[in-house]
Amino acid sequence: MERLVSIKNRGVKMAARLFLGVWMIVVILAAFLWAPASVDMGQISRIIFFHIPTAWVTVLAFLVCAIYSVRYLKGRAALDDLAASFAAELGLLFCVAATASGSLFAKATWGSYWNWDPRETSIFVLLLIYGAYFALRSSVDDPARRGSLSAAYSILAFVTVPVLVFVVPRIPAVQSLHPADSVISAGGKLNMDARMLLVFLSSLAGFTGFAAWVFSLRLRVARISARLAVPKEAHI
Amino acid sequence: MTSSSHSVREALAVLSKDLRSEFRTRHAISSLLLFAITSLAVVSFSVSPYSLDADAQGAFLWIVLFFSAMSGLSRSFVKEEESHTVMALRLAASSDSVYIGKLLFNIVIQAAAGVIAAPLFLLLMDIRPAQPGLFAASVALGTIAMASSSTIIAAMISRANSKGALFAVLAFPISLPGLASAIRSTSISLRGGQAGAASGDIRILLAYSVLMIAASLLLFDFVWND
């Protein structure tokens, strides 16, 4: 019976994976072929189908990392610490992707790859935080201590980042050039063509699903290797 | 009531112990001050023929103060690890009192460096702040904000392997909100602006310090006792 359930589960997982793959292919094709380009920005506007979802996953991974950190400090399960670090790894990866794609967009529309626009500043700080998180992890040997130090750091960083939302726009260097009106207008109304919006939301869902899938894979590998590690030590 | 007054007394005992040992060795204050003075000299030496605008001056002052804090503030916990007194301190005082005591010590040290470095900065750069009160308030609040964010980071890196380089790496992203507001209100105080131009930044500095101290109090136990 248990075996039957596990086979059925495997079937569902397989179907979900296949669906995700087809979904992403359709989203990518639609982003280039089906959705119209923005009138005032031209073909470059298609970057929003990829840039904003990567930035969204970056922030989401940051949140997941903080949640697993709290869980680790409460329950001291080694797997929670690993999960927090996997979330941070994913976040770092997507943060680099978001920074690079945003920088390309900046070059195309404002003429320079980097100019400390408020959004650029905040993504840069996130990049620094992820970097510092891994620097801290790599310099502590004892797993339990590494877990609690890095968990405390990620929670502290998570508390700080919202403050940046108030601080960064006050930095006098540059007025924001980030195209806020292209997605959501000042009145809070969605300002997108219906087809663009559909592709954009599908891409958001697809990227989130993709990140969740990679995250669950990492967790599974960690679980299996933990299970394998126990009898090996028992032999010794 | 008795327990809270007890932990206040404990925190003050940690502070006075640290101050006494600092007075004997002058380790933290000398590295802080020497760093501040050398970097001030470099800045003043390299820009003395030019008169900078207030934004650049405010940024220079805080670069000096931030990195001098980075060179000195980590001592408070690293010192305990190096002299193998961590265990004794852990037994003698509760973790909250240790945190508060170390925080007060860091504020005192950083303020002592600021009291010398900030007037020296004005003197060497030949600046007369348009709003001296605001200037003093920005330096004082910025000092508190920096100490409140870096005390727990100092505790973290004292438990890690590479103690020196890691401190600035970990502290910078966390301190940035406080640092940016301090730079901005300092620049306003040097340039002069209409009344209340810096009130938002002063409020951010206060809120940020309170937030950091509260978060550190919640998390310090995990950092200190593991």
Side-chain angles (χ1 to χ4, degrees):
Chain A
M1 185 65 200
E2 230 172 58
R3 191 153 170 199
L4 250 177
V5 171
S6 90
I7 288 173
K8 203 175 159 196
N9 258 342
R10 205 176 293 165
V12 170
K13 274 180 190 163
M14 188 69 157
R17 256 191 326 248
L18 237 124
F19 180 69
L20 185 63
V22 173
W23 181 277
M24 284 308 276
I25 291 169
V26 170
V27 163
I28 291 169
L29 289 178
F32 283 104
L33 303 175
W34 185 62
S38 154
V39 182
D40 35 306
M41 272 185 282
Q43 295 298 331
I44 189 73
S45 70
R46 294 186 195 279
I47 206 165
I48 71 155
F49 301 128
F50 306 102
H51 171 62
I52 297 180
T54 48
W56 154 251
V57 171
T58 304
V59 177
L60 195 67
F62 193 45
L63 172 71
V64 172
C65 178
I67 290 172
Y68 273 104
S69 299
V70 172
R71 274 186 54 171
Y72 176 77
L73 290 183
K74 273 185 166 172
R76 303 287 167 153
L79 201 65
D80 284 339
D81 174 44
L82 280 179
S85 83
F86 295 156
E89 272 173 17
L90 262 180
L92 181 61
L93 192 70
F94 277 88
C95 194
V96 170
T99 313
S101 59
S103 173
L104 283 178
F105 181 70
K107 178 67 180 173
T109 51
W110 316 327
S112 80
Y113 285 109
W114 201 265
N115 47 9
W116 296 112
D117 167 86
R119 304 288 178 93
E120 288 179 338
T121 309
S122 33
I123 201 101
F124 180 71
V125 172
L126 265 183
L127 207 57
L128 281 182
I129 288 176
Y130 279 131
Y133 179 81
F134 287 110
L136 179 63
R137 286 190 78 87
S138 67
S139 70
V140 186
D141 298 326
D142 177 40
R145 184 184 285 184
R146 187 201 302 140
S148 51
L149 286 188
S150 51
Y153 187 73
S154 88
I155 294 167
L156 201 65
F158 189 74
V159 173
T160 319
V161 165
V163 182
L164 278 173
V165 177
F166 301 104
V167 173
V168 167
R170 306 177 68 89
I171 294 175
V174 194
Q175 286 285 307
S176 178
L177 299 168
H178 208 274
D181 285 355
S182 58
V183 182
I184 296 168
S185 66
K189 268 174 67 184
L190 278 169
N191 195 4
M192 234 195 245
D193 177 85
R195 275 188 292 171
M196 268 174 98
L197 184 66
L198 186 62
V199 175
F200 172 66
L201 291 179
S202 315
S203 168
L204 214 55
F207 268 85
T208 312
F210 174 71
W213 175 56
V214 175
F215 182 65
S216 74
L217 270 185
R218 291 297 308 264
L219 266 187
R220 226 174 93 201
V221 171
R223 255 191 222 118
I224 292 169
S225 58
R227 210 183 302 153
L228 287 178
V230 174
K232 213 191 259 171
E233 274 168 20
H235 278 299
I236 298 163
Chain B
M1 189 62 220
T2 48
S3 80
S4 77
S5 77
H6 177 64
S7 61
V8 167
R9 226 174 319 128
E10 248 178 29
L12 290 178
V14 172
L15 171 67
S16 78
K17 165 207 104 70
D18 272 349
L19 282 178
R20 213 174 307 138
S21 82
E22 177 60 34
F23 188 73
R24 285 181 194 145
T25 60
R26 296 182 198 83
H27 211 126
I29 190 71
S30 61
S31 62
L32 257 163
L33 260 184
L34 281 177
F35 188 95
I37 290 170
T38 22
S39 50
L40 266 181
V42 171
V43 167
S44 151
F45 175 73
S46 54
V47 300
S48 64
Y50 319 105
S51 64
L52 300 172
D53 61 304
D55 284 334
Q57 286 166 344
F60 266 138
L61 176 63
W62 279 102
I63 289 172
V64 169
L65 289 179
F66 176 74
F67 282 101
S68 73
M70 291 300 105
S71 73
L73 291 192
S74 67
R75 293 292 314 160
S76 55
F77 283 98
V78 173
K79 176 184 74 190
E80 306 279 358
E81 288 282 342
E82 282 173 356
S83 58
H84 304 287
T85 47
V86 187
M87 210 44 113
L89 189 59
R90 216 175 275 154
L91 289 173
S94 72
S95 58
D96 285 358
S97 326
V98 172
Y99 174 73
I100 300 279
K102 294 285 185 187
L103 172 70
L104 292 175
F105 173 71
N106 279 348
I107 291 175
V108 169
I109 291 290
Q110 177 70 19
V115 161
I116 296 174
L120 201 63
F121 169 79
L122 295 180
L123 194 85
L124 285 174
M125 305 285 280
D126 196 18
I127 304 167
R128 294 192 71 183
Q131 291 165 307
L134 181 61
F135 178 76
S138 314
V139 172
L141 286 175
T143 300
I144 293 172
M146 256 184 336
S148 60
S149 64
S150 54
T151 301
I152 189 161
I153 307 279
M156 283 179 191
I157 63 128
S158 76
R159 328 282 328 263
N161 296 339
S162 59
K163 296 177 176 28
L166 204 56
F167 190 44
V169 171
L170 291 183
F172 178 67
I174 303 282
S175 322
L176 194 62
L179 199 60
S181 306
I183 291 174
R184 213 177 113 83
S185 70
T186 307
S187 298
I188 291 172
S189 80
L190 293 177
R191 191 192 314 123
Q194 70 260 51
S199 73
D201 291 295
I202 295 290
R203 263 180 292 167
I204 288 176
L205 272 176
L206 280 172
Y208 171 79
S209 305
V210 171
L211 185 72
M212 277 295 113
I213 294 172
S216 303
L217 273 174
L218 284 174
L219 292 171
F220 185 73
D221 191 39
F222 299 110
V223 174
W224 180 239
N225 281 325
D226 270 314

mmCIF file of all heavy atoms in Angstrom, chain A residues 101-137:
data_model
loop_
_atom_site.group_PDB
_atom_site.id
_atom_site.type_symbol
_atom_site.label_atom_id
_atom_site.label_comp_id
_atom_site.label_asym_id
_atom_site.label_seq_id
_atom_site.Cartn_x
_atom_site.Cartn_y
_atom_site.Cartn_z
ATOM 1 N N SER A 101 20.654 41.467 -15.370
ATOM 2 C CA SER A 101 19.634 41.838 -16.358
ATOM 3 C C SER A 101 19.205 43.287 -16.163
ATOM 4 O O SER A 101 18.980 44.007 -17.151
ATOM 5 C CB SER A 101 18.436 40.884 -16.274
ATOM 6 O OG SER A 101 17.878 40.916 -14.988
ATOM 7 N N GLY A 102 19.134 43.738 -14.912
ATOM 8 C CA GLY A 102 18.782 45.134 -14.658
ATOM 9 C C GLY A 102 19.851 46.072 -15.192
ATOM 10 O O GLY A 102 19.555 47.143 -15.733
ATOM 11 N N SER A 103 21.095 45.628 -15.068
ATOM 12 C CA SER A 103 22.199 46.459 -15.530
ATOM 13 C C SER A 103 22.186 46.591 -17.057
ATOM 14 O O SER A 103 22.446 47.669 -17.607
ATOM 15 C CB SER A 103 23.486 45.833 -15.018
ATOM 16 O OG SER A 103 24.584 46.465 -15.528
ATOM 17 N N LEU A 104 21.848 45.473 -17.739
ATOM 18 C CA LEU A 104 21.718 45.528 -19.207
ATOM 19 C C LEU A 104 20.616 46.494 -19.604
ATOM 20 O O LEU A 104 20.766 47.305 -20.531
ATOM 21 C CB LEU A 104 21.365 44.136 -19.754
ATOM 22 C CG LEU A 104 22.498 43.135 -19.842
ATOM 23 C CD1 LEU A 104 21.964 41.812 -20.359
ATOM 24 C CD2 LEU A 104 23.564 43.669 -20.776
ATOM 25 N N PHE A 105 19.504 46.401 -18.880
ATOM 26 C CA PHE A 105 18.369 47.280 -19.159
ATOM 27 C C PHE A 105 18.761 48.737 -18.940
ATOM 28 O O PHE A 105 18.405 49.616 -19.731
ATOM 29 C CB PHE A 105 17.206 46.889 -18.246
ATOM 30 C CG PHE A 105 15.974 47.713 -18.446
ATOM 31 C CD1 PHE A 105 15.231 47.582 -19.602
ATOM 32 C CD2 PHE A 105 15.572 48.620 -17.486
ATOM 33 C CE1 PHE A 105 14.087 48.338 -19.789
ATOM 34 C CE2 PHE A 105 14.437 49.382 -17.671
ATOM 35 C CZ PHE A 105 13.692 49.241 -18.832
ATOM 36 N N ALA A 106 19.539 48.968 -17.850
ATOM 37 C CA ALA A 106 19.976 50.334 -17.554
ATOM 38 C C ALA A 106 20.846 50.874 -18.680
ATOM 39 O O ALA A 106 20.714 52.026 -19.095
ATOM 40 C CB ALA A 106 20.748 50.352 -16.236
ATOM 41 N N LYS A 107 21.732 50.014 -19.207
ATOM 42 C CA LYS A 107 22.608 50.449 -20.302
ATOM 43 C C LYS A 107 21.770 50.809 -21.527
ATOM 44 O O LYS A 107 22.013 51.811 -22.202
ATOM 45 C CB LYS A 107 23.593 49.320 -20.627
ATOM 46 C CG LYS A 107 24.531 49.621 -21.774
ATOM 47 C CD LYS A 107 25.488 50.729 -21.428
ATOM 48 C CE LYS A 107 26.416 51.011 -22.584
ATOM 49 N NZ LYS A 107 27.250 52.189 -22.346
ATOM 50 N N ALA A 108 20.755 49.995 -21.786
ATOM 51 C CA ALA A 108 19.960 50.211 -22.997
ATOM 52 C C ALA A 108 19.093 51.456 -22.897
ATOM 53 O O ALA A 108 18.882 52.150 -23.888
ATOM 54 C CB ALA A 108 19.095 48.985 -23.273
ATOM 55 N N THR A 109 18.571 51.741 -21.696
ATOM 56 C CA THR A 109 17.643 52.868 -21.603
ATOM 57 C C THR A 109 18.280 54.141 -21.057
ATOM 58 O O THR A 109 17.940 55.228 -21.488
ATOM 59 C CB THR A 109 16.432 52.521 -20.721
ATOM 60 O OG1 THR A 109 16.926 51.990 -19.495
ATOM 61 C CG2 THR A 109 15.554 51.509 -21.404
ATOM 62 N N TRP A 110 19.189 54.050 -20.085
ATOM 63 C CA TRP A 110 19.754 55.264 -19.485
ATOM 64 C C TRP A 110 21.184 55.517 -19.927
ATOM 65 O O TRP A 110 21.777 56.519 -19.568
ATOM 66 C CB TRP A 110 19.715 55.225 -17.945
ATOM 67 C CG TRP A 110 18.442 54.736 -17.376
ATOM 68 C CD1 TRP A 110 17.199 54.919 -17.895
ATOM 69 C CD2 TRP A 110 18.261 53.959 -16.193
ATOM 70 N NE1 TRP A 110 16.267 54.302 -17.128
ATOM 71 C CE2 TRP A 110 16.885 53.707 -16.062
ATOM 72 C CE3 TRP A 110 19.120 53.466 -15.216
ATOM 73 C CZ2 TRP A 110 16.353 52.975 -15.009
ATOM 74 C CZ3 TRP A 110 18.582 52.746 -14.166
ATOM 75 C CH2 TRP A 110 17.215 52.500 -14.065
ATOM 76 N N GLY A 111 21.793 54.553 -20.627
ATOM 77 C CA GLY A 111 23.118 54.812 -21.184
ATOM 78 C C GLY A 111 24.283 54.418 -20.311
ATOM 79 O O GLY A 111 25.423 54.594 -20.713
ATOM 80 N N SER A 112 24.039 53.897 -19.095
ATOM 81 C CA SER A 112 25.183 53.418 -18.321
ATOM 82 C C SER A 112 24.766 52.176 -17.557
ATOM 83 O O SER A 112 23.612 52.018 -17.193
ATOM 84 C CB SER A 112 25.695 54.486 -17.358
ATOM 85 O OG SER A 112 24.872 54.521 -16.218
ATOM 86 N N TYR A 113 25.744 51.292 -17.327
ATOM 87 C CA TYR A 113 25.400 50.030 -16.693
ATOM 88 C C TYR A 113 25.015 50.210 -15.234
ATOM 89 O O TYR A 113 24.276 49.428 -14.680
ATOM 90 C CB TYR A 113 26.584 49.063 -16.790
ATOM 91 C CG TYR A 113 26.763 48.489 -18.160
ATOM 92 C CD1 TYR A 113 27.824 48.867 -18.973
ATOM 93 C CD2 TYR A 113 25.841 47.578 -18.665
ATOM 94 C CE1 TYR A 113 27.971 48.345 -20.242
ATOM 95 C CE2 TYR A 113 25.982 47.050 -19.931
ATOM 96 C CZ TYR A 113 27.048 47.435 -20.716
ATOM 97 O OH TYR A 113 27.181 46.920 -21.959
ATOM 98 N N TRP A 114 25.576 51.226 -14.602
ATOM 99 C CA TRP A 114 25.308 51.350 -13.155
ATOM 100 C C TRP A 114 25.281 52.817 -12.756
ATOM 101 O O TRP A 114 26.203 53.556 -13.081
ATOM 102 C CB TRP A 114 26.416 50.626 -12.358
ATOM 103 C CG TRP A 114 25.947 50.290 -10.986
ATOM 104 C CD1 TRP A 114 26.139 51.020 -9.867
ATOM 105 C CD2 TRP A 114 25.165 49.165 -10.612
ATOM 106 N NE1 TRP A 114 25.523 50.411 -8.818
ATOM 107 C CE2 TRP A 114 24.922 49.276 -9.245
ATOM 108 C CE3 TRP A 114 24.631 48.070 -11.304
ATOM 109 C CZ2 TRP A 114 24.173 48.338 -8.542
ATOM 110 C CZ3 TRP A 114 23.901 47.137 -10.597
ATOM 111 C CH2 TRP A 114 23.683 47.279 -9.236
ATOM 112 N N ASN A 115 24.243 53.262 -12.083
ATOM 113 C CA ASN A 115 24.275 54.649 -11.599
ATOM 114 C C ASN A 115 23.574 54.849 -10.250
ATOM 115 O O ASN A 115 23.005 55.892 -9.994
ATOM 116 C CB ASN A 115 23.721 55.613 -12.640
ATOM 117 C CG ASN A 115 22.432 55.105 -13.218
ATOM 118 O OD1 ASN A 115 21.866 54.127 -12.721
ATOM 119 N ND2 ASN A 115 21.927 55.736 -14.243
ATOM 120 N N TRP A 116 23.619 53.871 -9.384
ATOM 121 C CA TRP A 116 23.106 53.991 -8.014
ATOM 122 C C TRP A 116 21.697 54.549 -7.959
ATOM 123 O O TRP A 116 21.379 55.376 -7.117
ATOM 124 C CB TRP A 116 24.051 54.833 -7.147
ATOM 125 C CG TRP A 116 25.370 54.180 -6.997
ATOM 126 C CD1 TRP A 116 26.553 54.616 -7.514
ATOM 127 C CD2 TRP A 116 25.660 52.961 -6.320
ATOM 128 N NE1 TRP A 116 27.548 53.732 -7.202
ATOM 129 C CE2 TRP A 116 27.038 52.702 -6.468
ATOM 130 C CE3 TRP A 116 24.896 52.042 -5.595
ATOM 131 C CZ2 TRP A 116 27.657 51.582 -5.924
ATOM 132 C CZ3 TRP A 116 25.516 50.935 -5.061
ATOM 133 C CH2 TRP A 116 26.881 50.717 -5.227
ATOM 134 N N ASP A 117 20.900 54.059 -8.848
ATOM 135 C CA ASP A 117 19.472 54.271 -8.737
ATOM 136 C C ASP A 117 19.005 53.559 -7.461
ATOM 137 O O ASP A 117 19.605 52.559 -7.060
ATOM 138 C CB ASP A 117 18.862 53.633 -9.993
ATOM 139 C CG ASP A 117 17.378 53.478 -9.908
ATOM 140 O OD1 ASP A 117 16.699 54.447 -10.248
ATOM 141 O OD2 ASP A 117 16.906 52.408 -9.489
ATOM 142 N N PRO A 118 17.960 54.064 -6.773
ATOM 143 C CA PRO A 118 17.553 53.412 -5.518
ATOM 144 C C PRO A 118 17.361 51.905 -5.625
ATOM 145 O O PRO A 118 17.756 51.157 -4.736
ATOM 146 C CB PRO A 118 16.242 54.109 -5.188
ATOM 147 C CG PRO A 118 16.391 55.455 -5.756
ATOM 148 C CD PRO A 118 17.229 55.310 -6.985
ATOM 149 N N ARG A 119 16.767 51.445 -6.727
ATOM 150 C CA ARG A 119 16.583 49.995 -6.874
ATOM 151 C C ARG A 119 17.928 49.304 -7.007
ATOM 152 O O ARG A 119 18.128 48.220 -6.477
ATOM 153 C CB ARG A 119 15.740 49.661 -8.111
ATOM 154 C CG ARG A 119 14.409 50.309 -8.144
ATOM 155 C CD ARG A 119 13.465 49.685 -7.124
ATOM 156 N NE ARG A 119 12.199 50.387 -7.162
ATOM 157 C CZ ARG A 119 11.172 50.016 -7.895
ATOM 158 N NH1 ARG A 119 11.252 48.920 -8.604
ATOM 159 N NH2 ARG A 119 10.065 50.714 -7.905
ATOM 160 N N GLU A 120 18.825 49.925 -7.734
ATOM 161 C CA GLU A 120 20.151 49.323 -7.888
ATOM 162 C C GLU A 120 20.851 49.255 -6.542
ATOM 163 O O GLU A 120 21.507 48.265 -6.216
ATOM 164 C CB GLU A 120 20.987 50.126 -8.891
ATOM 165 C CG GLU A 120 20.508 49.953 -10.310
ATOM 166 C CD GLU A 120 21.318 50.761 -11.314
ATOM 167 O OE1 GLU A 120 21.952 51.744 -10.896
ATOM 168 O OE2 GLU A 120 21.293 50.406 -12.496
ATOM 169 N N THR A 121 20.697 50.334 -5.734
ATOM 170 C CA THR A 121 21.321 50.334 -4.415
ATOM 171 C C THR A 121 20.778 49.200 -3.565
ATOM 172 O O THR A 121 21.541 48.485 -2.911
ATOM 173 C CB THR A 121 21.074 51.679 -3.710
ATOM 174 O OG1 THR A 121 21.435 52.715 -4.592
ATOM 175 C CG2 THR A 121 21.872 51.778 -2.445
ATOM 176 N N SER A 122 19.440 49.016 -3.589
ATOM 177 C CA SER A 122 18.906 47.992 -2.692
ATOM 178 C C SER A 122 19.283 46.594 -3.157
ATOM 179 O O SER A 122 19.550 45.730 -2.317
ATOM 180 C CB SER A 122 17.398 48.139 -2.489
ATOM 181 O OG SER A 122 16.781 48.617 -3.622
ATOM 182 N N ILE A 123 19.334 46.353 -4.475
ATOM 183 C CA ILE A 123 19.724 45.007 -4.922
ATOM 184 C C ILE A 123 21.203 44.785 -4.613
ATOM 185 O O ILE A 123 21.608 43.679 -4.279
ATOM 186 C CB ILE A 123 19.417 44.777 -6.414
ATOM 187 C CG1 ILE A 123 19.346 43.267 -6.728
ATOM 188 C CG2 ILE A 123 20.457 45.372 -7.323
ATOM 189 C CD1 ILE A 123 17.988 42.738 -6.833
ATOM 190 N N PHE A 124 21.983 45.858 -4.659
ATOM 191 C CA PHE A 124 23.402 45.730 -4.328
ATOM 192 C C PHE A 124 23.579 45.351 -2.861
ATOM 193 O O PHE A 124 24.413 44.504 -2.528
ATOM 194 C CB PHE A 124 24.114 47.051 -4.635
ATOM 195 C CG PHE A 124 25.577 47.022 -4.328
ATOM 196 C CD1 PHE A 124 26.445 46.279 -5.100
ATOM 197 C CD2 PHE A 124 26.096 47.735 -3.260
ATOM 198 C CE1 PHE A 124 27.794 46.242 -4.817
ATOM 199 C CE2 PHE A 124 27.436 47.714 -2.972
ATOM 200 C CZ PHE A 124 28.295 46.963 -3.758
ATOM 201 N N VAL A 125 22.773 45.974 -1.994
ATOM 202 C CA VAL A 125 22.865 45.632 -0.571
ATOM 203 C C VAL A 125 22.461 44.181 -0.335
ATOM 204 O O VAL A 125 23.092 43.468 0.443
ATOM 205 C CB VAL A 125 22.001 46.595 0.276
ATOM 206 C CG1 VAL A 125 21.933 46.131 1.709
ATOM 207 C CG2 VAL A 125 22.577 47.980 0.216
ATOM 208 N N LEU A 126 21.426 43.724 -1.061
ATOM 209 C CA LEU A 126 21.028 42.316 -0.934
ATOM 210 C C LEU A 126 22.167 41.395 -1.351
ATOM 211 O O LEU A 126 22.445 40.387 -0.703
ATOM 212 C CB LEU A 126 19.809 42.029 -1.806
ATOM 213 C CG LEU A 126 18.455 42.108 -1.128
ATOM 214 C CD1 LEU A 126 17.363 41.739 -2.108
ATOM 215 C CD2 LEU A 126 18.409 41.170 0.050
ATOM 216 N N LEU A 127 22.836 41.772 -2.438
ATOM 217 C CA LEU A 127 23.975 40.998 -2.926
ATOM 218 C C LEU A 127 25.062 40.925 -1.853
ATOM 219 O O LEU A 127 25.622 39.863 -1.580
ATOM 220 C CB LEU A 127 24.508 41.669 -4.192
ATOM 221 C CG LEU A 127 25.237 40.847 -5.241
ATOM 222 C CD1 LEU A 127 24.364 39.722 -5.727
ATOM 223 C CD2 LEU A 127 25.608 41.741 -6.416
ATOM 224 N N LEU A 128 25.331 42.077 -1.217
ATOM 225 C CA LEU A 128 26.329 42.122 -0.146
ATOM 226 C C LEU A 128 25.930 41.235 1.020
ATOM 227 O O LEU A 128 26.763 40.524 1.599
ATOM 228 C CB LEU A 128 26.485 43.553 0.370
ATOM 229 C CG LEU A 128 27.325 44.514 -0.438
ATOM 230 C CD1 LEU A 128 27.372 45.852 0.276
ATOM 231 C CD2 LEU A 128 28.725 43.972 -0.588
ATOM 232 N N ILE A 129 24.628 41.268 1.366
ATOM 233 C CA ILE A 129 24.164 40.477 2.502
ATOM 234 C C ILE A 129 24.331 38.995 2.223
ATOM 235 O O ILE A 129 24.834 38.237 3.060
ATOM 236 C CB ILE A 129 22.696 40.815 2.836
ATOM 237 C CG1 ILE A 129 22.622 42.204 3.474
ATOM 238 C CG2 ILE A 129 22.091 39.776 3.758
ATOM 239 C CD1 ILE A 129 21.233 42.667 3.742
ATOM 240 N N TYR A 130 23.917 38.570 1.019
ATOM 241 C CA TYR A 130 24.099 37.163 0.656
ATOM 242 C C TYR A 130 25.581 36.792 0.682
ATOM 243 O O TYR A 130 25.965 35.726 1.172
ATOM 244 C CB TYR A 130 23.534 36.889 -0.736
ATOM 245 C CG TYR A 130 22.040 36.690 -0.768
ATOM 246 C CD1 TYR A 130 21.239 37.373 -1.673
ATOM 247 C CD2 TYR A 130 21.427 35.789 0.090
ATOM 248 C CE1 TYR A 130 19.871 37.179 -1.725
ATOM 249 C CE2 TYR A 130 20.063 35.598 0.043
ATOM 250 C CZ TYR A 130 19.294 36.286 -0.865
ATOM 251 O OH TYR A 130 17.938 36.086 -0.914
ATOM 252 N N GLY A 131 26.423 37.670 0.154
ATOM 253 C CA GLY A 131 27.862 37.401 0.155
ATOM 254 C C GLY A 131 28.390 37.266 1.571
ATOM 255 O O GLY A 131 29.126 36.325 1.899
ATOM 256 N N ALA A 132 27.974 38.202 2.454
ATOM 257 C CA ALA A 132 28.442 38.179 3.839
ATOM 258 C C ALA A 132 27.965 36.921 4.540
ATOM 259 O O ALA A 132 28.696 36.313 5.329
ATOM 260 C CB ALA A 132 27.946 39.417 4.575
ATOM 261 N N TYR A 133 26.730 36.497 4.224
ATOM 262 C CA TYR A 133 26.167 35.291 4.825
ATOM 263 C C TYR A 133 27.057 34.093 4.533
ATOM 264 O O TYR A 133 27.388 33.310 5.429
ATOM 265 C CB TYR A 133 24.755 35.083 4.273
ATOM 266 C CG TYR A 133 24.026 33.851 4.765
ATOM 267 C CD1 TYR A 133 23.384 33.845 5.992
ATOM 268 C CD2 TYR A 133 23.960 32.703 3.993
ATOM 269 C CE1 TYR A 133 22.715 32.725 6.435
ATOM 270 C CE2 TYR A 133 23.293 31.579 4.421
ATOM 271 C CZ TYR A 133 22.663 31.593 5.647
ATOM 272 O OH TYR A 133 22.010 30.480 6.077
ATOM 273 N N PHE A 134 27.496 33.964 3.261
ATOM 274 C CA PHE A 134 28.331 32.814 2.918
ATOM 275 C C PHE A 134 29.752 32.969 3.443
ATOM 276 O O PHE A 134 30.399 31.976 3.784
ATOM 277 C CB PHE A 134 28.308 32.556 1.411
ATOM 278 C CG PHE A 134 27.008 31.974 0.978
ATOM 279 C CD1 PHE A 134 26.117 32.705 0.216
ATOM 280 C CD2 PHE A 134 26.643 30.707 1.395
ATOM 281 C CE1 PHE A 134 24.901 32.184 -0.141
ATOM 282 C CE2 PHE A 134 25.420 30.172 1.042
ATOM 283 C CZ PHE A 134 24.546 30.910 0.265
ATOM 284 N N ALA A 135 30.241 34.207 3.528
ATOM 285 C CA ALA A 135 31.559 34.427 4.128
ATOM 286 C C ALA A 135 31.538 33.974 5.581
ATOM 287 O O ALA A 135 32.475 33.334 6.069
ATOM 288 C CB ALA A 135 31.945 35.899 4.034
ATOM 289 N N LEU A 136 30.444 34.298 6.285
ATOM 290 C CA LEU A 136 30.314 33.882 7.686
ATOM 291 C C LEU A 136 30.251 32.363 7.785
ATOM 292 O O LEU A 136 30.945 31.751 8.597
ATOM 293 C CB LEU A 136 29.061 34.511 8.298
ATOM 294 C CG LEU A 136 28.771 34.147 9.749
ATOM 295 C CD1 LEU A 136 29.873 34.647 10.648
ATOM 296 C CD2 LEU A 136 27.450 34.721 10.203
ATOM 297 N N ARG A 137 29.425 31.738 6.931
ATOM 298 C CA ARG A 137 29.285 30.276 6.983
ATOM 299 C C ARG A 137 30.618 29.586 6.745
ATOM 300 O O ARG A 137 30.937 28.601 7.408
ATOM 301 C CB ARG A 137 28.292 29.800 5.927
ATOM 302 C CG ARG A 137 26.864 30.088 6.248
ATOM 303 C CD ARG A 137 25.959 29.377 5.269
ATOM 304 N NE ARG A 137 25.849 27.970 5.596
ATOM 305 C CZ ARG A 137 24.964 27.475 6.453
ATOM 306 N NH1 ARG A 137 24.123 28.264 7.058
ATOM 307 N NH2 ARG A 137 24.930 26.188 6.706
#
